[in-house]
Amino acid sequence: MEKLSGYQEFLSKAMDWVWEFMPNFITAVITLFVGMWVIKMISRLVKRFFDRADYDPTLETFIESLIKAVLKILLFVLVVTQLGVQSSSLVAIVGAAGLAIGLALQGSLSNFAGGVLILLFKPFKVGDFISAQGVDGTVKEISIFTTKINTFGNQLAIVPNGQLSNNTIVNFNSESTRRDKIDVGIGYSSNIKKAKEVLLEICAADKRILKTPAPEVYVGELADSSVNLTLRFWAQNADFWGAHFHVMETLKERFDEEGIEIPFPQREVHTKTTA
């Protein structure tokens, strides 16, 4: 009987605790769902605001991600508080957890700091073509921790912001124009003056090549088997590769027409016969 009485007493206390805890639990669940809905609505409002205003896409993506993360942390604190956890205890728990997580996620914190630096100093923005960390491509998105880059072959490269902010970045769109450099070798018997004239004529005929600064050709090297000419010209970023490939193809055609030799590696073999 004593054992049965003790069991009944334990069950009674458990039921009392459940009835006392249930309102807090229901409130916490409601708070969670309502909070997630509110965060979703706020995210939509922020996105609409940025869509209507003319802000930098880089800034838009970063702020949207940051606002969403902060709101979720606040919601977590609010839900836990509704379950009956004291604020002081929660602060201590969050502080200890924050220290442990900070030590475990040093790389992520470095990436977050890198994202802030990219946002502040703007070495590149969404839409720029960059070369960094062995990846060449167009910046698609800059988030809190990573930057997404579409490569030339249309693959998606995800690069941590910490690495981007601490290493060399080449931004091909930072200036409106680019200078090309094309090296071509001609034979020692070919007319250097004529070859230079042909190269300048090709540049003059292509509207994509800028007239100012003017294209220039000079002898870059007297190599073992060729005289190496260097052609330099300027073009707008949008026209750069089209002009480059056109010059490469046209100079071969024009050199063939003018009888200007482009040497290629070849080997002469002499045989010696003995009687």
Side-chain angles (χ1 to χ4, degrees), residues 178 180 182 206 208-209 233 235-250:
R178 289 175 62 183
D180 198 2
I182 297 177
D206 193 331
R208 292 169 295 189
I209 296 177
F233 63 83
Q236 296 289 338
N237 269 319
D239 301 328
F240 179 82
W241 287 113
H244 173 85
F245 294 129
H246 176 262
V247 170
M248 292 292 291
E249 180 179 347
T250 307

Side-chain angles (χ1 to χ4, degrees), residues 102-214:
L103 294 174
L105 300 178
Q106 292 183 20
S108 297
L109 295 176
S110 173
N111 292 331
F112 175 79
V116 174
L117 291 176
I118 291 172
L119 180 63
L120 291 176
F121 295 104
K122 297 182 179 179
F124 58 85
K125 61 182 183 300
V126 173
D128 284 349
F129 190 92
I130 67 171
S131 177
Q133 296 299 298
V135 178
D136 299 341
T138 303
V139 178
K140 181 179 180 181
E141 178 183 323
I142 302 173
S143 59
I144 295 178
F145 300 109
T146 61
T147 293
K148 295 181 180 179
I149 301 175
N150 261 10
T151 66
F152 184 77
N154 200 33
Q155 290 93 23
L156 181 64
I158 301 176
V159 184
N161 286 336
Q163 296 180 13
L164 285 176
S165 63
N166 291 314
N167 290 279
T168 302
I169 301 171
V170 179
N171 188 339
F172 294 94
N173 292 115
S174 60
E175 304 294 337
S176 59
T177 59
R178 289 175 62 183
R179 186 174 68 175
D180 198 2
K181 176 178 177 289
I182 297 177
D183 296 321
V184 58
I186 63 173
Y188 272 92
S189 60
S190 298
N191 189 324
I192 295 177
K193 183 177 180 181
K194 183 62 178 178
K196 293 173 70 173
E197 289 176 356
V198 169
L199 292 174
L200 292 176
E201 287 173 3
I202 294 172
C203 292
D206 193 331
K207 295 181 179 179
R208 292 169 295 189
I209 296 177
L210 300 178
K211 303 303 181 283
T212 304

